[in-house]
Amino acid sequence: MISNGAHRATGERFPGKIDLVSAMLGPGGGGVKTRYLGVIFIAAVLVPSVLLSVLSIRSAGREEAYVEKQLTTTLLAEVAHTASMVSEGVERLAGELHASVSVPPPNAVQAALVTWKKRNPLVGVPYLLSTEYKILWPRPDGNLGGAERLFLQENADFLSGRSTTPVYANIAIVHKEEVLGLAKAAAPLARAATQAAPSASAATEAPAPMQAEDAASSTESAPLQGQRAVDTFAQNAEVQKKIYEQARQQGEQVNARVTQPTSKALEAANDIGPTDRDLKAPTGSQTRPTTGPQTPPSGGAASAPAGQPSLYITTPRLLSQIASQGEYGIIPRFVGEKLTFLFWDRLSDGRIIGCELSRTEFRQRVAGILPATYSPVRILAVLDEKGEPLAVPAGAAGRDWRRPFVSQEIGEALPRWEAASYLTDPASIRNQARSTSAVIWILVVILFVSVAGGGTMVLSSLYGEMRLAQKKASFVANVSHELKTPLTSIGLFIDLLRRRRPPDAKKRDRYLALMAAETERLGRLINNVLDFSSQEKGRKKYAKRIVDLAQVADEVVEGQRVRLEGLGFAVRFICRESSERAFVDADPEAMKQVLINLLSNAEKYSTTQKEIEVEVECAGPHAAAHVRDRGIGVAEKDRERIFLEFVRVDDSLSAKVPGTGLGLTIARRIARDHGGDLVCEGREGAGSDFILTLPRRSGDEAKDPGSRG
Ligand code: ADP
């Protein structure tokens, strides 16, 4: 009843303050934050790691295509380089032949030509033409060998200007105006499409780059224009289609290429973007406009598999037309299916000297230009007009040479010849892709597990921290409440005692007794808080000695009896008659603190049935002290939890009773520090039974403290 009065008094003396503290620090405030924590975890950890995993797994699925694309790009670059080396090599051969030429004396033409052939193994069948393109040597009426006769048979008409030969040239250069025109016509459409979406200001800026481009094309040199046409042609499938169509309509011969590359990345070339250019762009020598040795006519193109059209188209030219454009050169000529090479060189006197190149020597010299042809990744080859490699690398025989991984035509100087690259082990792409995607999978799983696991751990520790912070906050509110309550009561009684008409002696004794009880409660609370803090820091010291637990309990009960009975409690102390006594090695003050805490709880949590029972018994190696009540009891699920710091049972009955949630925590710690324990059990009927157990010692040790272990 008194405590009710005290509560009222608190409310009056400190109006609204405690409510405010509880409102600020109460469980509700923290609840909102922990909910946010879940959302933050999902948004900042879970969603990004799921997205990352999905992206990585998707890219693992496309690994094979990526590997193939990468390999295609690399090998195409190498093939392009090889083609350019071979083209330059052929130019060098022409230069070498030019350097070896000397003007034959009119009276010893044959001897001079024979010497030339002997000195230079590249020279197959030498010839000499007059300024009017009359064949001076080999003379049909002369004493000729088989090779010379065949040579005349195949070349006499062309050399003497009676027939033309097809000259090879890059289609994009031949049709450069049309290529650039088509590209320009397509550009405004593409530009309009990209500008439809962005802002109006961007659209108004559009004419500037167009004008700049127009100006550039009008002032550009012919080789630069040719280069631009070649690039545009290579990058634009639509332009290619139209130009090939146009060339055919104009009667130009568009041949098929010898090889059909197998790389799938080439088919999807248009999606590859930057590598697009690498896929089809010709080599340096190919992009050079028709300078250097001109390629004169020859027979029709050999039969070829129906594949991609060749980049080189032919136009018929007379030898005189070709020779008018330079000093010397090599003309590739098809005679039937056979490709021959005619070297020509205009002498200072206007006559033309030249030779059909020795096929064997020419092929050997070209093969010598090639870089290492065999590597663990690829086999590099130069294919002739029949699609046969110039040299077969060891271990590469028996493959279909017309189906390389990637290939490229060499250039005008070597029509239908291609530089080609073959995968040494075609299954390696798949294997490499498989192992890469396996690694990606493993990494994704590790990443996901560590992100999700780490995130969950961080979250749960954060959650724990927040819960603890909440508990501490409510503890602060509870402690302040608990401190104020006895103080207010004491203040109230002091006021009563000071009144002008003092109360009678009986009342005064009662007030004093109540004040003493409140002071004791205050002391207990402060002790608990101090104890908790020293236990936390590990600084709690015990003065242990052998004591009789029953005796300690009896003292505590007797100390509390008057007060409890004054509050209407029936207090019973039971100690079973036994020859043995409950000796324990303990700090008696600490034991008293445990029992007082338990008695105080029994008092606080009893409602109508006010019965407290303390019993000490010996059970085997243990001594046990029970503190029983018939109060509100503790639900089974809470019987362990209530020993955790700051934990108070969250039901309407407990909530009415003020408390800090520390009493049991401290009591159990003390019990455990003494090698014992404190547990809570239910009781038949109603109420709870708190049991303090401690290891028993023998009574002899009490008499002889020195023998203790
Ligand atoms: P406090 O009593 O200050 O809240 P304690 O640590 O002593 O802190 O007790 C923790 C909780 O255990 C109490 O809030 C109460 O819910 C429950 N409890 C303790 N003793 C009893 C008891 N004898 N009967 C019912 N419930 C109890």
Side-chain angles (χ1 to χ4, degrees), residues 601 604-605 629 633-634 642 648-649 654 659-661 663-664 688 690:
N601 280 351
K604 284 199 295 189
Y605 300 105
D629 61 52
V634 182
I642 51 173
R648 307 200 67 229
V649 175
S654 309
T660 56
L664 289 180
S688 25
F690 285 86

Side-chain angles (χ1 to χ4, degrees), residues 76-380:
L76 263 177
E78 192 188 37
V79 156
H81 178 63
T82 308
S84 127
M85 272 167 64
V86 170
S87 285
E88 280 163 19
V90 172
E91 278 182 42
R92 265 203 312 278
L93 289 186
E96 202 183 291
L97 280 166
H98 171 64
S100 70
V101 158
S102 57
V103 180
N107 51 354
V109 168
Q110 185 179 357
L113 292 180
V114 168
T115 319
W116 186 37
K117 180 176 153 75
K118 265 193 201 140
R119 283 207 191 127
N120 198 331
L122 263 176
V123 178
V125 180
Y127 66 85
L128 184 69
L129 303 180
S130 73
T131 45
E132 289 83 32
Y133 293 90
K134 213 177 130 224
I135 301 174
L136 301 176
W137 183 266
R139 273 214 300 270
D141 51 353
N143 187 15
L144 299 179
E148 281 86 3
R149 215 165 277 138
L150 184 65
F151 171 77
L152 280 182
Q153 214 177 313
E154 290 171 351
N155 300 298
D157 280 354
F158 170 61
L159 291 178
S160 51
R162 287 194 297 274
S163 71
T164 58
T165 196
V167 171
Y168 291 83
N170 190 316
I171 188 167
I173 294 172
V174 174
H175 293 268
K176 67 181 171 199
E177 256 100 56
E178 294 97 307
V179 169
L180 295 175
L182 278 173
K184 210 194 274 176
L189 290 175
R191 231 180 258 136
T194 51
Q195 280 166 6
S199 67
S201 67
T204 53
E205 285 162 17
M210 274 176 76
Q211 281 163 10
E213 205 174 275
D214 291 345
S217 57
S218 62
T219 56
E220 201 168 49
S221 68
L224 265 180
Q225 228 177 4
Q227 171 71 64
R228 209 151 60 81
V230 167
D231 288 349
T232 314
F233 185 82
Q235 288 162 23
N236 198 325
E238 205 47 42
V239 170
Q240 284 174 21
K241 223 173 98 187
K242 285 193 181 141
I243 295 292
Y244 277 122
E245 191 54 48
Q246 205 173 315
R248 278 192 200 101
Q249 277 169 10
Q250 288 173 11
E252 285 156 357
Q253 194 174 348
V254 178
N255 301 313
R257 281 181 57 179
V258 172
T259 63
Q260 274 186 301
T262 54
S263 166
K264 288 192 206 84
L266 285 174
E267 289 163 22
N270 290 333
D271 306 333
I272 293 179
T275 54
D276 209 4
R277 186 193 163 100
D278 302 342
L279 299 185
K280 291 177 187 156
T283 63
S285 67
Q286 288 167 318
T287 56
R288 209 173 301 149
T290 49
T291 56
Q294 290 291 301
T295 42
S298 152
S303 65
Q308 261 184 306
S310 165
L311 197 59
Y312 300 93
I313 52 164
T314 55
T315 38
R317 290 273 185 281
L318 286 169
L319 175 58
S320 54
Q321 288 173 312
I322 298 166
S324 68
Q325 286 179 17
E327 212 185 321
Y328 65 91
I330 293 177
I331 303 166
R333 284 197 76 214
F334 275 99
V335 179
E337 292 288 302
K338 186 177 76 176
L339 182 63
T340 61
F341 297 93
L342 277 187
F343 171 71
W344 62 271
D345 195 331
R346 181 153 346 87
L347 294 169
S348 51
D349 58 11
R351 288 181 300 167
I352 302 235
I353 191 172
C355 64
E356 186 182 270
L357 299 190
S358 149
R359 192 174 156 80
T360 339
E361 180 67 15
F362 179 75
R363 287 169 75 94
Q364 266 174 18
R365 298 284 291 267
V366 173
I369 296 166
L370 292 183
T373 51
Y374 191 91
S375 88
V377 178
R378 58 94 186 105
I379 295 160
L380 192 67

Side-chain angles (χ1 to χ4, degrees), residues 50 74 239 257 259 284 351 377 386 395 430 458 464 479 526 644:
V50 166
T74 316
V239 170
R257 281 181 57 179
T259 63
R351 288 181 300 167
V377 178
K386 293 197 185 99
R430 192 158 307 134
V458 169
V479 166
I526 290 167
L644 298 176

Side-chain angles (χ1 to χ4, degrees), residues 297-597:
S298 152
S303 65
Q308 261 184 306
S310 165
L311 197 59
Y312 300 93
I313 52 164
T314 55
T315 38
R317 290 273 185 281
L318 286 169
L319 175 58
S320 54
Q321 288 173 312
I322 298 166
S324 68
Q325 286 179 17
E327 212 185 321
Y328 65 91
I330 293 177
I331 303 166
R333 284 197 76 214
F334 275 99
V335 179
E337 292 288 302
K338 186 177 76 176
L339 182 63
T340 61
F341 297 93
L342 277 187
F343 171 71
W344 62 271
D345 195 331
R346 181 153 346 87
L347 294 169
S348 51
D349 58 11
R351 288 181 300 167
I352 302 235
I353 191 172
C355 64
E356 186 182 270
L357 299 190
S358 149
R359 192 174 156 80
T360 339
E361 180 67 15
F362 179 75
R363 287 169 75 94
Q364 266 174 18
R365 298 284 291 267
V366 173
I369 296 166
L370 292 183
T373 51
Y374 191 91
S375 88
V377 178
R378 58 94 186 105
I379 295 160
L380 192 67
V382 167
L383 306 180
D384 65 12
E385 69 280 3
K386 293 197 185 99
E388 307 267 314
L390 293 194
V392 179
R399 59 181 66 225
D400 182 358
W401 295 103
R402 291 186 176 227
R403 302 282 289 159
F405 184 64
V406 293
S407 61
Q408 184 179 304
E409 291 174 278
I410 288 176
E412 300 97 328
L414 290 167
R416 311 202 64 227
W417 281 40
E418 297 194 19
S421 195
Y422 306 80
L423 295 180
T424 310
D425 174 15
S428 70
I429 293 189
R430 192 158 307 134
N431 294 344
Q432 195 188 336
R434 274 202 196 131
S435 56
T436 312
S437 51
V439 170
I440 292 178
W441 266 97
I442 292 168
L443 286 180
V444 165
V445 170
I446 292 175
L447 179 97
F448 191 80
V449 168
S450 48
V451 168
T456 311
M457 274 162 69
V458 169
L459 186 79
S460 76
S461 103
L462 253 177
Y463 186 75
E465 290 287 318
M466 287 177 82
R467 287 296 294 261
L468 192 66
Q470 273 171 32
K471 280 188 212 157
K472 282 185 178 165
S474 74
F475 163 76
V476 172
N478 290 339
V479 166
S480 6
H481 187 277
E482 284 243 39
L483 283 173
K484 276 169 204 156
T485 312
L487 278 178
T488 313
S489 308
I490 293 166
L492 195 77
F493 294 130
I494 291 173
D495 281 352
L496 287 174
L497 290 172
R498 273 194 187 151
R499 275 189 189 160
R500 260 198 220 134
R501 258 185 49 221
D504 56 35
K506 202 175 149 201
K507 268 193 183 162
R508 201 186 57 202
D509 286 350
R510 191 155 165 253
Y511 290 165
L512 285 173
L514 288 169
M515 277 162 68
E518 289 299 304
T519 314
E520 193 189 284
R521 187 172 149 193
L522 203 59
R524 200 167 55 234
L525 178 73
I526 290 167
N527 267 349
N528 272 348
V529 174
L530 290 178
D531 265 21
F532 177 71
S533 117
S534 55
Q535 277 178 348
E536 284 287 281
K537 291 175 191 154
R539 288 200 201 130
K540 176 86 180 164
K541 294 269 180 313
Y542 298 103
K544 290 186 189 173
R545 59 192 169 87
I546 303 294
V547 285
D548 184 355
L549 187 61
Q551 200 183 328
V552 176
D554 191 24
E555 279 171 27
V556 172
V557 171
E558 290 319 310
Q560 299 284 319
R561 183 182 292 280
V562 178
R563 190 177 65 80
L564 289 171
E565 284 178 352
L567 293 169
F569 279 91
V571 183
R572 262 205 324 153
F573 176 71
I574 308 163
C575 186
R576 304 228 179 267
E577 284 296 314
S578 159
S579 55
E580 296 166 311
R581 287 173 62 194
F583 285 116
V584 290
D585 185 12
D587 177 345
E589 288 311 309
M591 290 305 117
K592 279 183 188 167
Q593 194 182 352
V594 173
L595 293 169
I596 290 171
N597 277 353

